[in-house]
Structures are given as C-alpha cells and as structure tokens.
Amino acid sequence: MSAIADVGRTAVYAAEDAALGGTDLDEERPLPDLVAIAAALTTGPWWREVGGPRVVVAAARPNARSSAARAGSGRVVRITLAGGQRTVATLAHELAHALAGVPHGHDATFRAAHVDVVALLAGAAAGEALAAAYGRLGVPAGRRSWAAPFRAVGDGFAVLP
C-alpha cells in the first residue's frame, strides 16, 4: 500500500504514542523475548479461533530504519523488528497488520485488530486507552469481523483481557 493510499497512518502513530508511549510497552526488549511473546499470542486459542495467520518474527536488516509486516507465501506473515524499535508496542502494531491483513494498511480494520492485540498483550485498560486515543484523533477503530479477544475458554466460561 502506498503512503498516499494508507489513510490513517499518521494518526495511528500519534494514537500509539498517546496511549502507549512512556509505558513499559514502549521499553526496548531483547528480540528473543518479543519472539516468545508473539508465539504465545499467535499459538493461543483466540488467534487460532479467529483464523490469524502463522507469524514469523525476526530482526530486520541492521540498516533498516523501520519495522514491518509482510505477507509471505501461503498464510504466513513475516514481521521484522528494527533496532531501536524492539518493543511490545511495535510488536503489537505489526501483529495487528498480520491479523487485519497487510493490505489494510492503517485503516479501521487494522485499528480494530490493533486494539484487540494490545488488549491481549497488555490488558483491557491498554486496549481501551488505544481505542480512546484513536477516537480523540478522529480515526476510530472499525468493527471487528472476528471474535472479541479472550485469553482462554472452557466449559461455560471465557477469560477476557
């Protein structure tokens, strides 16, 4: 998606900064920790139920200036995390691209996925803060076409973020 067609990109970055900047989600983490966090989410019951793609997380090239999510062959999304951007907040952003579908760019579907991924990784309050920041910036999250996030399900119960 071209930068011109990627409506909402600037607002997404502003909402992330407003909701997640300065929190522990914005602190640099070792790449193996982020790989493990992504694996726990993408092999969990919610990701599987909503049909999320297989995700591979790796370091970006040493000279890369930004992190990215790219659709690969089959249903695999490759996330590369650039140096200086190895945070849970960046990982959540790229996982949202994987869930929404990379071609969605930063549209309302991406923003809905982003709120859900943040809620699962950091708790309901963090997801609500991100949704509120999107609303304040005039780019609300869209309606999800997948099940609401949950951490676990059992006979007659669900554990929500």
Side-chain angles (χ1 to χ4, degrees):
M1 175 168 283
S2 73
I4 293 170
D6 194 359
V7 177
R9 181 179 184 184
T10 301
V12 165
Y13 294 141
E16 286 175 328
D17 190 47
L20 309 176
T23 71
D24 61 344
L25 300 177
D26 199 30
E27 293 176 6
E28 281 280 318
R29 302 281 296 268
L31 183 62
D33 289 0
L34 296 169
V35 169
I37 290 166
L41 176 69
T42 61
T43 62
W46 175 73
W47 191 270
R48 288 191 320 261
E49 180 174 308
V50 301
R54 189 168 78 80
V55 172
V56 175
V57 177
R61 299 180 321 274
N63 63 343
R65 296 188 339 205
S66 63
S67 299
R70 290 193 169 71
S73 60
R75 289 199 22 87
V76 177
V77 173
R78 180 173 172 78
I79 292 174
T80 54
L81 299 173
Q85 295 183 350
R86 293 188 183 146
T87 67
V88 175
T90 300
L91 177 64
H93 180 112
E94 302 308 338
L95 286 168
H97 281 302
L99 178 61
V102 174
H104 278 277
H106 296 90
D107 70 5
T109 300
F110 164 83
R111 294 188 300 270
H114 196 198
V115 168
D116 286 352
V117 168
V118 166
L120 281 166
L121 292 179
E128 290 165 4
L130 182 58
Y134 280 142
R136 284 191 305 276
L137 290 165
V139 290
R143 290 176 138 332
R144 64 174 70 91
S145 61
W146 51 83
F150 60 84
R151 292 190 187 283
V153 293
D155 190 20
F157 74 90
V159 178
L160 304 176

